[in-house]
Amino acid sequence: MHDTREDLAEIRRAVRALCNEFPGEYWREKDRDRAYPGEFVNALTKAGFLAALIPVEYGGSGLKLDAACVIMEEIQAAGCNGAAAHAQMYVMNTLLRYGSEEQKAAYLPGIASGELRLQAFGVSEPTSGTDTLSLKTRAVRDGDHYVINGQKIWTSRAEHSDLMALLARTTPREEAASKTEGLSLFLVDMREVLGNGMTIKPIRTMMNHSTTEVFFDDMRIPASALIGEEGKGFRYILSGMNAERVLIGAECIGDAKWFIERATAYANDRGVFGRPIGKNQGIQFPIARCYAQMRAAELMVYHAAEVFDRGGNAGAEANMAKMLASEASWAAADMCVQTHGGFGFAEEYDVERKFREARLYTVAPISTNLILSYLAEHVLGLPRSY
C-alpha cells in the first residue's frame, strides 16, 4: 500500500484529535504517580494506530514505516508521550519479517485488536549494554522446549506487556561460527512464565518510562517460540533496530515541534519592560535556530523511512536520523526552558516534564558516540574503533 500525502495528512489530523483528549493534566498526574498511561494506550489501540504496520489480513492497517513515523511524531507534538506504546511498532517489524506463518496467525490478530500487547524487547544486559554480541542470557534446547537463564535490563513496559521479543545465546560465543552467530530470537508469552521462571523488577528513573530489569531462572518456553532459525537472531533484530531508530527520530521531531511552538507562543505573550520578550533577538534567534535544526533533522527522518520502506539497508540513514533528531529535540528543550525562564521549571507548564523526557533520546536506544562510530566505520571506511 502506498501512503500518499493525503493519507498521511489525514493520519495527522486523526492522531491530533485523539491526543486532544489527553491534555497536560493527564500526563502530569501519570508523571507524579509514575503510572502507566493505560487509558491513552487503549485509545491508540482502539483507533488502530498501534496496528498500523500489521497487514490487513491480520486485522491491521497494512501501512508503511512513514505512516508509523507520522503517528509517533504527532503524538509527541501534541504533548503526549508515545514511549508508552512505541515498542509495538518496531518489535512488530521483526515478527512480520522473520516470524513463521503460525506465529503470525497466532498473535497478530490479537495484537491488532488490542487483546494482546507486544511491548517488551529484551536485549540489553547489565554487563554488555549496547555490546549485544557479548550478552550472556542462555537458552538451552531441552526436547520440545528451551530453558532460559539470565538477566535483561532497560526492558521497558515489561509490566504492561503480554509478549516479549527476547534475544538469548543458544551457542556459546567461543563455539559460534562467527561473532554474529549463535544468538537466537524468541517470542515469549509472558502470561505463561511470569512468576514461573520470569521475575520483573521496576527501575525508577528521571522520567516516567516504565522500565525494568527482567530475570530468567530456568524459564521454560516451547521450541515453537523461536523466531526464524536458531543462531540467526542478531541479524533479525538489526532491521528492527533500524525501524526503532527511525521511529524514535520521528518522536524527537514531534518533541522539537512542541518545544518550538510553546516557546514561540510564550515569547509572543510574555511582556517585560513594556514589550513582548519575542521582540528581542536574544529570544528570537535561539528559537529560529532550533526551528532550522528541527527541519533539517525532519528531512533525514523521513528519508530514512523511505529507504527502509523500499527494502534497502537503512543502517546509515536510520542512525543519522536518530542522532540528528535527538540532538534537535534536546536543543529545542533547552531553548524552551531558557525562553520560559523560571516558569520553565513549573510543573503546570509541562515544559519540565517534556524536558526530562527529551533528554533520554540522546542516550537511548543507542548513544550518539556509537552512532558516530558506526558512520565512521561503515560509511567513511575508517578503522573499527571497538
Side-chain angles (χ1 to χ4, degrees):
M1 178 176 178
H2 179 63
D3 305 329
T4 66
R5 285 182 178 271
E6 292 75 18
D7 293 333
L8 297 180
E10 180 55 36
I11 290 172
R12 286 188 186 277
R13 287 190 290 269
V15 174
R16 183 57 69 109
L18 185 152
C19 288
N20 287 341
E21 300 297 317
F22 297 88
E25 304 88 75
Y26 173 83
W27 295 100
R28 289 194 291 273
E29 180 181 350
K30 296 297 182 185
D31 187 63
R32 282 194 296 269
D33 297 340
R34 289 296 192 266
Y36 185 74
E39 304 87 353
F40 178 68
V41 175
N42 288 339
L44 287 175
T45 304
K46 184 177 180 181
F49 293 128
L50 296 187
L53 298 177
I54 297 177
V56 174
E57 58 265 33
Y58 296 111
S61 303
L63 300 176
K64 296 182 179 179
L65 190 63
D66 62 350
C69 285
V70 164
I71 292 169
M72 301 314 300
E73 178 198 320
E74 204 61 35
I75 288 172
Q76 301 302 115
C80 301
N81 188 357
H86 62 193
Q88 192 148 299
M89 295 282 198
Y90 57 78
V91 177
M92 185 66 59
N93 175 265
T94 305
L95 177 59
L96 289 174
R97 289 197 174 190
Y98 304 107
S100 67
E101 290 305 317
E102 291 77 12
Q103 288 170 330
K104 294 176 187 178
Y107 294 112
L108 290 180
I111 296 170
S113 69
E115 178 186 349
L116 296 173
R117 283 182 181 167
L118 173 56
Q119 288 284 1
F121 195 25
V123 177
S124 295
E125 297 184 1
T127 59
S128 59
T130 48
D131 183 9
T132 304
L133 298 176
S134 296
L135 65 80
K136 296 179 180 178
T137 295
R138 281 296 313 274
V140 178
R141 185 71 181 257
D142 181 23
D144 293 333
H145 291 79
Y146 283 91
V147 179
I148 300 179
N149 286 278
Q151 177 185 1
K152 297 294 179 180
I153 196 168
W154 312 125
T155 305
S156 300
R157 299 158 302 274
E159 295 177 289
H160 307 283
S161 186
D162 300 301
L163 305 170
M164 173 189 290
L166 174 66
L167 190 66
R169 181 163 289 285
T170 45
T171 302
R173 188 170 184 177
E174 61 275 11
E175 298 176 17
S178 71
K179 64 181 180 181
T180 60
E181 299 289 317
L183 297 174
S184 299
L185 189 64
F186 301 91
L187 186 63
V188 178
D189 190 331
M190 300 171 67
R191 299 169 299 176
E192 301 293 330
V193 295
L194 188 59
N196 184 28
M198 173 186 284
T199 304
I200 300 173
K201 180 181 178 182
I203 302 174
R204 189 174 177 89
T205 57
M206 181 173 71
M207 70 293 294
N208 182 25
H209 201 70
S210 302
T211 199
T212 70
E213 290 180 278
V214 183
F215 300 88
F216 311 103
D217 297 294
D218 290 332
M219 182 181 78
R220 296 181 67 87
I221 60 173
S224 60
L226 177 70
I227 295 178
E229 294 181 54
E230 185 176 287
K232 308 295 184 183
F234 180 71
R235 68 180 65 176
Y236 296 159
I237 69 167
L238 289 181
S239 64
M241 287 180 171
N242 286 338
E244 175 188 36
R245 287 164 197 178
V246 177
L247 285 167
I248 293 294
E251 291 182 54
C252 291
I253 296 301
D255 278 337
K257 289 182 176 181
W258 187 90
F259 287 121
I260 292 166
E261 179 183 342
R262 285 299 177 100
T264 301
Y266 187 81
N268 278 323
D269 292 340
R270 174 67 166 161
V272 178
F273 301 117
R275 53 188 275 159
I277 62 173
K279 268 195 170 185
N280 302 313
Q281 290 181 343
I283 297 294
Q284 290 180 356
F285 286 4
I287 300 175
R289 182 175 294 277
C290 284
Y291 177 79
Q293 188 176 356
M294 177 275 293
R295 287 305 308 274
E298 182 181 32
L299 292 172
M300 189 71 245
V301 167
Y302 284 94
H303 172 64
E306 180 184 4
V307 173
F308 186 92
D309 284 335
R310 290 201 308 260
N313 180 3
E317 290 82 4
N319 276 287
M320 287 188 287
K322 187 269 175 185
M323 182 184 77
L324 295 173
S326 65
E327 290 177 348
S329 67
W330 179 237
D334 187 61
M335 172 276 296
C336 192
V337 171
Q338 197 70 22
T339 302
H340 280 75
F343 288 106
F345 297 90
E347 185 184 72
E348 66 182 286
Y349 281 75
D350 290 312
V351 175
E352 62 86 26
R353 172 180 63 84
K354 293 284 282 184
F355 179 89
R356 287 183 281 112
E357 292 169 0
R359 183 62 182 88
L360 174 65
Y361 294 121
T362 57
V363 174
I366 186 172
S367 73
T368 299
N369 284 348
L370 279 175
I371 289 176
L372 293 173
S373 293
Y374 176 92
L375 295 174
E377 178 186 354
H378 295 283
V379 178
L380 301 177
L382 293 168
R384 183 179 177 88
S385 61
Y386 61 90

